[in-house]
Amino acid sequence: MHTPKRYLITSALPYANGLKHIGHLAGAYLPADIYVRYLKAQKRDVVFVCGSDEHGTAIPIQATKEGTTARTIIDKYHPIMEQNFKDLGIAFDIYHRTSSSLHHETAQEFFTKLNDNGDLEIKETEQYFDEEANSFLADRYIKGTCPNCSYANAYGDQCENCGKSLSPDELINPVSTLSGNKPVKKVTKHWYLPLNRHEGFLREWILKEHASDWRGTVIGQCKSWIDGGLQPRAVTRDLDWGVSLPDSVEGGKGKVLYVWFDAPIGYISATKQWALDNGKDWKPYWEDKDTKLVHFVGKDNIVFHCIIFPVMLKLHGNILPDNVPANEFMNLEGDKMSTSRNWKLEMQDYIDDFINKENGGSQMADVLRYYLTQIAPETKDSEFTWQGFQDANNSELVGIFGNFVNRAFVLMHKLCKGKVPPLHLDILTDLDKTTIEEIKSTKEKVENLLEQYKFREALFEVINLARTGNQYMQKKEPWIVAKQTSDNGQPTTEAQQSIDNTLHICLQLCANLAVLINPFLPFTARKMCYLMKVVDKMLDWENAGKIKLLSVGYSLRSPELLFRKIEDSEISYQIEKLKAAVINRESSNVNKEKIMEEVTQPASEEKKETPVKPEIIFDDFAKIDLRAGKIVSAEKVEKADKLLKLQVDLGFETRTIVSGIALHFTPEDIVGKQVTVVVNLAPRKMRGIESNGMILMAEDSSGKLHFINPETNINPGAGVS
RNA sequence: GGCGAGGUAGCUCAGUUGGUUAGAGCACAGGAUUCAUAACCCUGAGGUCACGAGUUCAAAUCUCGUUCUCGCUACCA
């Protein structure tokens, strides 16, 4: 296999609007770190970059929610995330941030080059502009009278009354929702990345060239996207938070790069910063064909890293990723992990509860790394259970791995005076030989698996070597052999030689375990080096498979336990804590700081924003006829996941209303329920069914819907004001 | 609803181009042992490979249908 000259490894840039959980860790950061540590142990030229994604509308929205500025938000989360990664042993060469000026310059240069080369499409349109707010107005920031139904408060993109899709031009008497003023028409342009021009390239590159070496899930999603028809994608936005378009770009004032465009460029700017800090040249890492670029991401990020960013890279003249080993998702105790529902284990929480504790320490970071790797969602969604976590620690790390190292050290001190005993080649048994062979072959296996990004299996092979060690020791029984004593009470020469060989091999096996486990459990590997009194250099990968890592006669330290048992009480505490967090959230969900949906990003779409709507006068409000109603029947609408068809008793009549609440309520649940209905809303057809009115719902911070209804039962048809 | 990925032992997962009695780890049961963190070691029990058809001498594997889970997408006034 060809060994590339250098490697550039990236982990998805986490979005700087909140703390990240272990699903993120297992998906994009831990596997990348393992891979990087392996490459570095091989002395390959490798840079591991990551950083906070600090743009996009979710940041200013979070700021509004916390009553502060966008800058404050990112300055708050960036350092915490950086520290979290560090505590868990994720050793980025640089953890950068997209708010840095270097990133802004880099992203601007990138845009400029594509723009100058004609690789972007410019669509120039007349758009409404608010002179007072001095900004262009996105469609939904404009209101006016609907040309179709004469409804007075139609949005620029759609009329809420008749449902007709509109463009702002069609509105009669348009008004800016920012200032309430009448907007003026101004010419504006937006830049688009015409993905459709690159379909041929993508088909060839992904579906042919990488058909066999990329994961099936990755290929599948890419194919789905390409076959679905690629569309031009807007690169710019009218916003003030983000990377501004370069001044040199005509008509670029007041526009920023769309976050999906700027975020992945963060990999490049991070590399530049790293190069600056270390006196290196960044260019070969992004331009030389002999660089192997690998993006580690979660499955929600596949298309950005396999389709969109590669098109950008190709146009800009950069290398393309060699692989994107995307992981599936990790569930927690039977349910999806979710920040908004508070069903999660944050890295910070683990650090607080296990690492920064008296009986904790950095080896507890390794315990999490171990379990997350063991259950890594490499081929399908996997599940984190606290029971599984405890079992993995207690029976594998403690029972197999830690115990082997410990008993080898203890026996060595008891039977070999605390020194590495010699190996007597003339009396090597078949078992000795096969065990030595096993050490060598484990190296090969682990190596092959890591090259294929099969981390779970690779780790299993390492543990298996420890298992082999235990079996070997069990069969050789040096503690029994030691009882073959001569007259002086000491073991006979023959016995001692057998013991020497056994422990010599066990200790060399320990040294090998340290080398092999190092990419996965770096803290443990260091501790083993300490016990063996060797320098970290011993962990170089080339030492794996060798059985002369520890010199004969060298005295080693007294044994110390590598891992501690995790008690049942700690597990039940965590489970209680998890459940309690959900209950807390449910019972106090009103106006609590809204935590944005979790985003593994760097480049997902921005979440929909919900700005406060423009002021209305009482007359506007009075136009809305609200009535109390009662649901008399409900059924699911076919071919629609979210729609329920309801019959609502309004006293004076019973109406059909279609409502998008099917994900939250089953028809049986809501029959007989009181509701508040907008009764004078113009009818609208949805999935072929005419809906005559609208049910009012409130959405809580977890996205759950609640009916707005009178406290007590009142007669259908009663007015609401 | 469309597209993609999945459904294999109590749990977490492997199963290469269809080919003997479908594998591993954990948990469980029995045994052995004491150097070791009641750890380790040996043995065992366990599965209608989601369900139903089809192709084949032969199907966990290929085809079609059904169903459930996850992701993307549409429907939300």
Side-chain angles (χ1 to χ4, degrees), chain A residues 436-588:
Chain A
I436 291 169
E437 274 313 306
E438 192 81 15
I439 295 174
K440 290 179 182 164
S441 70
T442 299
K443 182 212 178 193
E444 315 271 316
K445 285 184 205 161
V446 172
E447 213 168 276
N448 286 333
L449 291 166
L450 285 176
E451 295 283 356
Q452 297 172 67
Y453 312 104
K454 293 184 178 174
F455 302 102
R456 195 171 50 199
E457 226 177 307
L459 178 58
F460 178 79
E461 289 298 338
V462 181
I463 294 301
N464 222 17
L465 182 59
R467 191 171 272 122
T468 301
N470 277 319
Q471 292 164 343
Y472 170 71
M473 203 182 270
Q474 201 70 28
K475 285 179 191 149
K476 297 276 290 193
E477 298 181 308
W479 54 92
I480 302 284
V481 177
K483 289 176 182 165
Q484 299 170 17
T485 50
S486 50
D487 296 342
N488 62 4
Q490 295 296 311
T492 59
T493 311
E494 216 174 30
Q496 188 59 47
Q497 289 197 343
S498 164
I499 292 168
D500 287 352
N501 277 6
T502 302
L503 286 169
H504 181 93
I505 290 171
C506 282
L507 290 168
Q508 300 296 359
L509 199 152
C510 280
N512 269 276
L513 283 176
V515 179
L516 294 170
I517 206 73
N518 177 42
F520 306 91
L521 312 181
F523 298 109
T524 301
R526 294 280 138 61
K527 186 159 181 186
M528 291 172 78
C529 285
Y530 167 80
L531 291 176
M532 295 182 289
K533 290 210 262 186
V534 295
V535 292
D536 290 352
K537 198 170 178 339
M538 193 208 74
L539 299 175
D540 287 349
W541 194 259
E542 62 185 10
N543 288 329
K546 292 184 184 168
I547 55 151
K548 289 185 176 175
L549 299 184
L550 300 174
S551 319
V552 172
Y554 199 61
S555 67
L556 310 185
R557 273 182 227 283
S558 311
E560 281 177 39
L561 299 180
L562 291 177
F563 304 99
R564 70 169 178 87
K565 284 214 152 196
I566 291 176
E567 304 298 331
D568 292 349
S569 59
E570 295 176 77
I571 295 306
S572 48
Y573 170 76
Q574 288 298 332
I575 292 174
E576 289 304 313
K577 189 173 163 184
L578 179 65
K579 291 179 177 163
V582 176
I583 292 164
N584 280 344
R585 175 146 289 276
E586 280 175 354
S587 63
S588 60

Side-chain angles (χ1 to χ4, degrees), chain A residues 29-253:
Chain A
Y29 307 101
L30 184 51
D33 186 67
I34 293 167
Y35 191 61
V36 166
R37 285 179 186 272
Y38 159 72
L39 293 175
K40 286 188 174 173
Q42 286 203 329
K43 299 179 190 159
R44 309 263 180 96
D45 181 351
V46 46
V47 185
F48 183 20
V49 304
C50 192
S52 300
D53 174 10
E54 306 182 308
H55 295 139
T57 40
I59 303 278
I61 288 173
Q62 179 73 5
T64 311
K65 299 242 151 76
E66 294 191 23
T68 182
T69 62
R71 170 50 74 173
T72 310
I73 292 292
I74 61 173
D75 285 349
K76 170 180 165 188
Y77 289 115
H78 171 78
I80 302 178
M81 297 196 303
E82 183 170 27
Q83 187 61 42
N84 282 174
F85 286 129
K86 202 171 168 189
D87 289 343
L88 293 168
I90 307 297
F92 301 123
D93 287 301
I94 180 164
Y95 187 75
H96 202 226
R97 50 196 306 187
T98 61
S99 60
S100 72
S101 56
L102 178 60
H103 173 72
H104 281 240
E105 288 160 22
T106 304
Q108 287 174 340
E109 183 280 329
F110 203 105
F111 173 87
T112 303
K113 181 163 181 182
L114 264 55
N115 193 32
D116 290 351
N117 289 345
D119 290 324
L120 300 178
E121 280 173 2
I122 303 174
K123 294 189 187 173
E124 199 165 76
T125 49
E126 279 204 317
Q127 245 186 41
Y128 281 113
F129 183 82
D130 186 322
E131 288 179 309
E132 188 179 317
N134 193 29
S135 112
F136 277 102
L137 297 166
D139 293 351
R140 65 190 346 251
Y141 285 103
I142 304 168
K143 275 195 163 184
T145 303
C146 174
N148 191 39
C149 69
S150 301
Y151 175 65
N153 284 312
Y155 281 114
D157 53 351
Q158 194 178 40
C159 171
E160 299 208 343
N161 191 33
C162 65
K164 186 174 162 54
S165 288
L166 301 171
S167 77
D169 295 334
E170 300 175 71
L171 288 179
I172 302 162
N173 296 326
V175 174
S176 163
T177 62
L178 294 180
S179 65
N181 293 338
K182 187 180 159 91
V184 295
K185 276 277 183 80
K186 259 180 115 166
V187 174
T188 183
K189 20 182 184 179
H190 276 291
W191 283 256
Y192 290 77
L193 180 65
L195 291 174
N196 44 307
R197 288 188 200 167
H198 308 283
E199 187 184 323
F201 153 69
L202 290 168
R203 277 190 191 282
E204 178 72 23
W205 178 60
I206 299 174
L207 304 182
K208 289 208 180 129
E209 287 177 36
H210 286 296
S212 57
D213 65 332
W214 284 14
R215 289 184 180 169
T217 49
V218 174
I219 293 289
Q221 254 205 54
C222 291
K223 188 169 185 308
S224 168
W225 251 65
I226 296 170
D227 289 346
L230 297 164
Q231 303 293 326
R233 240 185 127 79
V235 169
T236 55
R237 275 204 112 188
D238 290 314
L239 262 186
D240 55 5
W241 182 251
V243 177
S244 311
L245 293 204
D247 293 338
S248 57
V249 176
E250 204 188 316
K253 207 159 181 253

Side-chain angles (χ1 to χ4, degrees), chain A residues 605-621:
Chain A
E605 290 287 1
E606 295 168 33
K607 297 292 167 190
K608 270 193 185 153
E609 51 199 86
T610 51
V612 173
K613 293 173 187 169
E615 187 175 286
I616 59 170
I617 58 172
F618 178 77
D619 290 350
D620 290 334
F621 172 72

Side-chain angles (χ1 to χ4, degrees), chain A residues 363-379:
Chain A
Q363 69 268 30
M364 288 310 291
D366 278 351
V367 175
L368 181 64
R369 290 172 66 106
Y370 179 80
Y371 183 53
L372 291 185
T373 302
Q374 196 214 45
I375 60 166
E378 288 173 5
T379 53

